[in-house]
Amino acid sequence: MAEVRGPNAWRDELASLIEDTGVRYVADPITISTTPSSFDGETTTTIDYQNDKLEEAPPESLKDQVKGFAMAWVEILMELGRGCRDIVQQSLLTEDSYIVRKLEKPIARASAKLRYFNEFLPEDRDPAHAWPVVFFVFILALAAINVNTQYGSLVPRVKRARIHPPNATRIQLPDGRHMAYHEQGVTADRARFSIIIPHSFLSSRLAGLPGIKMSLLEEFGIRLVTYDLPGFGESDPHPSRNLNTSALDMLHLANAVGVSDKFWVLAHSGGGMHAWAALKYIPNKVAGAALFAPMMNPYEPGMTKEEMKRTWENWLPRRKFLYFLAHRFPRFLSSFYHRTFLSGKLGQIDKWLSDEILIEEPIFEELWDRNLEESIRQRNVKPFIEEAMLQVSNWGFRLSELQVQRRCQGRGILPWLRSMYSQAECELTGYLGPIHIWQGMDDHVVPPSMTDYIARVLPEANVHKLPNEGIYFPRSLDPLKVQSSIKRKIKQPPSEENEEEKS
């Protein structure tokens, strides 16, 4: 007779016969039925297992698969990095390796020089761990400042530069280039004085003389001719320009517009070097020069240490850095220029000039915007880099060469003795015409030390120092004041002139 056992006893016996594989079986309740047998009256017990099923884990989602794949790759890369680090430490950073032998002494010297920075760290911080953290935080701070500058909601809206239709009068130069120019004042047949104005950096032919009145020009018969430097405004760029070619362009312009007699050169700030070039290379065509805060080469070798110090100490770090780039690494200027004025955004004037400049009249800002728009018309960075390089490089001549000197032919004792009795063998060299310079004593763009240097090497120049004025001194050069001053000098009898005016 079969022995009937409960479900729990059966499972215990089954678990004792096989090892535990971690798989659990779930079944519906077991049905036990007893039926009489036809043989010997025995009863047969039947056990039915209904719907036995194997418990399976749910399938992974795509997100879990990607996460597991990424974690596996991270572990692989970490192991690869550890392996590369071990290889470098065991093969390249040993004491007898070539790299360690070559770099050990320079690194030791550099570490000794920079060791004093560790004094700024807390005493309980290891410099090897602290400085990487400081550097990382510094990089994050720069990135945050850059993001806030570009996407900050508090940044004021910047005006965009507009490119106006071409409207300049142009002439063709002997080398085939075209030069754009602009005229003010009387016509060529009525002109008593012709003045040619080369503009400064980030300017154009439209600069001229801001605020000048036509009535003043007509009263004194003045003809103003301004022009665009090569690559600026509507003038064609020059393939290899220097200050000599700049003076020749000025000469060709004078001939093309009908200036038959000598002309005056008027320049401001960075345009001063083109005026000095005209005095050097075409002195016979220049009647005189009027310079307002003329910019000199800040690396001029003729400056004394005191003049050099007073020149550089007045500039902001940004201006010093730009002059250094133009002098040593001019190619890096391209990125700076594209991010500032060549970006098409008209910022504040002090931002472009890197100095604090007081703009008193709104009309001046309007004139500046129009002049700037014309200056960057071609959106070509090369002329601006060339202009910056000309300012800080060798000009091809010394300013002292313009000083009036008597030069005698021949060398030696005999020619010198002959020159003592005969003045015909000697001639005057340098620029013989008048030179007038106006300098604002509070100028932070063109320091007064530059004008002091000019006065030292060119004692014949007439320097007019203007107290309490900067690079833009409209009050001191008010056209009405200039007009009354000129009238007073014209009406003044010759007997009342002082000795300085006679000389």
Side-chain angles (χ1 to χ4, degrees):
M1 183 174 178
E3 183 179 358
V4 179
R5 300 179 181 179
N8 294 334
W10 177 85
R11 290 180 180 176
D12 293 339
E13 291 182 1
L14 180 62
S16 64
L17 294 177
I18 61 175
E19 296 180 354
D20 187 9
T21 61
V23 179
R24 298 291 181 264
Y25 291 90
V26 179
D28 293 337
I30 300 175
T31 304
I32 303 176
S33 60
T34 303
T35 56
S37 177
S38 58
F39 300 97
D40 302 331
E42 296 181 350
T43 302
T44 303
T45 302
T46 303
I47 303 175
D48 295 333
Y49 300 96
Q50 301 176 0
N51 300 329
D52 289 350
K53 298 180 182 180
L54 180 65
E55 183 180 2
E56 299 179 355
E60 289 185 338
S61 63
L62 178 61
K63 179 180 179 181
D64 296 334
Q65 294 178 4
V66 172
K67 182 178 179 181
F69 181 78
M71 294 179 62
W73 264 105
V74 169
E75 293 179 359
I76 293 174
L77 293 177
M78 292 179 63
E79 293 297 331
L80 179 61
R82 294 190 185 98
C84 295
R85 182 193 60 185
D86 295 339
I87 293 174
V88 171
Q89 290 179 349
Q90 297 174 7
S91 59
L92 299 179
L93 300 182
T94 57
E95 295 181 357
D96 57 345
S97 67
Y98 176 80
I99 296 177
V100 172
R101 289 199 308 268
K102 290 294 184 182
L103 298 180
E104 182 177 9
K105 293 182 179 180
I107 292 178
R109 288 195 298 267
S111 300
K113 294 180 179 180
L114 300 177
R115 193 170 298 167
Y116 72 93
F117 284 110
N118 296 335
E119 299 177 358
F120 299 96
L121 297 176
E123 297 180 355
D124 57 343
R125 293 291 184 269
D126 184 8
H129 297 87
W131 284 117
V133 174
V134 172
F135 180 76
F136 180 72
V137 173
F138 177 73
I139 296 299
L140 287 181
L142 289 181
I145 292 174
N146 188 29
V147 171
N148 290 336
T149 302
Q150 293 182 357
Y151 304 104
S153 58
L154 299 179
V155 176
R157 185 176 181 180
V158 180
K159 294 183 295 183
R160 304 290 301 184
R162 297 183 298 117
I163 303 302
H164 300 264
N167 59 355
T169 306
R170 304 205 304 172
I171 61 170
Q172 187 172 10
L173 300 175
D175 59 359
R177 294 181 295 115
H178 291 84
M179 174 184 289
Y181 71 95
H182 177 66
E183 289 190 63
Q184 289 179 285
V186 300
T187 58
D189 56 341
R190 297 172 50 200
R192 295 170 53 195
F193 306 99
S194 297
I195 302 177
I196 296 182
I197 306 177
H199 63 78
S200 59
F201 185 83
L202 203 58
S203 187
S204 70
R205 70 185 185 279
L206 302 181
L209 283 178
I212 193 70
K213 292 187 176 181
M214 292 298 299
S215 58
L216 180 65
L217 299 179
E218 293 178 355
E219 181 177 355
F220 293 97
I222 298 175
R223 182 190 186 196
L224 292 180
V225 181
T226 58
Y227 66 98
D228 289 330
L229 293 175
F232 291 73
E234 297 186 37
S235 291
D236 296 337
H238 195 288
S240 56
R241 71 186 183 106
N242 50 40
L243 291 183
N244 189 5
T245 61
S246 178
L248 295 179
D249 286 349
M250 204 179 303
L251 176 62
H252 296 320
L253 173 64
N255 295 333
V257 298
V259 179
S260 57
D261 201 359
K262 293 184 177 182
F263 58 87
W264 280 73
V265 178
L266 188 149
H268 170 261
S269 187
M273 60 179 177
H274 303 287
W276 295 122
L279 302 185
K280 169 63 180 178
Y281 296 112
I282 53 172
N284 296 330
K285 287 290 294 183
V286 181
L291 305 174
F292 302 100
M295 184 71 183
M296 291 297 302
N297 181 3
Y299 297 95
E300 173 61 40
M303 284 187 179
T304 62
K305 292 183 178 180
E306 181 64 23
E307 291 170 343
M308 191 76 70
K309 178 183 178 181
R310 289 191 291 117
T311 296
W312 285 86
E313 69 183 3
N314 291 326
W315 285 334
L316 297 178
R318 185 180 185 183
R319 176 171 286 272
K320 296 178 182 179
F321 180 66
L322 290 179
Y323 282 138
F324 172 76
L325 288 183
H327 186 62
R328 295 293 185 182
F329 308 102
R331 292 186 178 180
F332 289 98
L333 291 175
S334 176
S335 175
F336 176 81
Y337 291 164
H338 278 297
R339 293 183 60 183
T340 52
F341 52 84
L342 287 180
S343 64
K345 299 178 181 179
L346 296 177
Q348 297 295 328
I349 299 178
D350 55 352
K351 180 179 179 181
W352 303 130
L353 295 179
S354 306
D355 285 280
E356 296 181 0
I357 299 175
L358 180 62
I359 305 302
E360 297 183 349
E361 299 294 337
I363 190 174
F364 186 87
E365 185 175 357
E366 182 181 352
L367 292 174
W368 168 266
D369 292 343
R370 181 64 182 92
N371 185 36
L372 176 60
E373 291 171 344
E374 187 64 24
S375 177
I376 62 175
R377 168 185 291 274
Q378 302 184 31
R379 299 295 176 92
N380 185 7
V381 71
K382 184 179 178 182
F384 294 95
I385 296 179
E386 292 175 346
E387 190 73 8
M389 291 175 59
L390 283 176
Q391 186 66 68
V392 299
S393 60
N394 185 5
W395 288 0
F397 61 92
R398 293 285 186 88
L399 205 61
S400 57
E401 298 177 12
L402 301 178
Q403 183 179 358
V404 178
Q405 298 177 352
R406 191 179 68 173
R407 179 173 299 176
C408 300
Q409 298 179 356
R411 293 182 179 180
I413 298 178
L414 293 179
W416 178 77
L417 291 175
R418 286 197 299 265
S419 65
M420 296 293 294
Y421 299 97
S422 177
Q423 298 293 336
E425 297 183 5
C426 298
E427 61 178 358
L428 294 178
T429 60
Y431 181 68
L432 305 179
I435 301 176
H436 290 269
I437 299 174
W438 284 265
Q439 175 66 50
M441 300 309 295
D442 291 343
D443 193 342
H444 296 290
V445 179
V446 182
S449 56
M450 290 190 170
T451 302
D452 295 339
Y453 165 72
I454 297 173
R456 181 172 61 84
V457 299
L458 295 178
E460 299 86 2
N462 300 295
V463 179
H464 311 274
K465 296 182 178 181
L466 308 176
N468 302 324
E469 295 291 353
I471 188 171
Y472 296 104
F473 28 82
R475 293 189 303 271
S476 300
L477 296 180
D478 189 355
L480 295 178
K481 293 182 180 180
V482 173
Q483 180 179 4
S484 60
S485 176
I486 294 175
K487 286 183 176 180
R488 186 170 58 254
K489 289 184 179 181
I490 292 177
K491 295 179 180 179
Q492 185 179 11
S495 59
E496 297 181 4
E497 293 180 348
N498 54 33
E499 294 297 327
E500 181 181 357
E501 290 175 342
K502 289 181 180 180
S503 62

